[in-house]
Amino acid sequence: MLPSAKMVNAARKQLERLYDCTCYVISEVDVMDPDTGIMSKTASREGPFACRISYKTISTGQIAEIAKFSTTTVLFIAPDVIIPNGARIELTGRNTKQLFRSASISARYDTHQEVQLENLEVH
């Protein structure tokens, strides 16, 4: 049996209570000049949206080799926010400001969506 709208809304509210960051979605939009009809790209900044970020570290090295690790970053956000693939995400929270790029198509659920992120900052 599918969950009712009331159950989904209650679950979504509980999940959104965990959101401790805000983010802006910056994407490129095609705009046509009305006089010349020439298309150009311009940046569109949407937000702020409440969100949560999660990190997962995975060991990728072999037992006999030096340990190698890979970190996966996932953004949890409301399902009605549109995040195109390749959009930049400006995240503020947890006493820091970070810049990411969406690295996957959003996994949308009734209560939230999950987007894998790629870090754009150089360390």
Side-chain angles (χ1 to χ4, degrees), residues 3-119:
S4 69
K6 190 175 182 180
M7 289 173 53
V8 169
N9 287 336
R12 181 175 172 178
K13 284 182 183 179
Q14 291 298 318
L15 188 61
E16 288 178 352
R17 289 178 58 201
L18 299 173
Y19 292 172
D20 57 354
C21 301
T22 58
C23 70
Y24 289 91
V25 178
I26 304 163
S27 58
E28 290 186 351
V29 179
D30 289 330
V31 178
M32 183 173 66
D33 186 339
D35 297 330
T36 63
I38 297 174
M39 298 293 287
S40 63
K41 293 197 180 282
T42 183
S44 169
R45 189 172 192 239
E46 308 272 331
F49 303 111
C51 61
R52 183 173 180 88
I53 195 163
S54 174
Y55 298 98
K56 182 176 183 180
T57 302
I58 303 167
S59 174
T60 59
Q62 301 294 329
I63 296 172
E65 296 180 8
I66 297 174
K68 297 178 185 174
F69 296 97
S70 172
T71 302
T72 304
T73 309
V74 179
L75 178 73
F76 293 85
I77 195 164
D80 51 344
V81 177
I82 297 175
I83 301 177
N85 191 14
R88 288 178 302 184
I89 310 292
E90 186 180 293
L91 185 98
T92 305
R94 299 183 186 173
N95 299 321
T96 186
K97 185 174 184 179
Q98 297 172 296
L99 193 60
F100 297 97
R101 178 175 55 221
S102 65
S104 69
I105 296 173
S106 303
R108 291 182 188 263
Y109 303 100
D110 291 337
T111 56
H112 68 287
Q113 67 177 312
E114 299 175 14
V115 182
Q116 289 189 358
L117 301 178
E118 177 183 335
N119 193 357

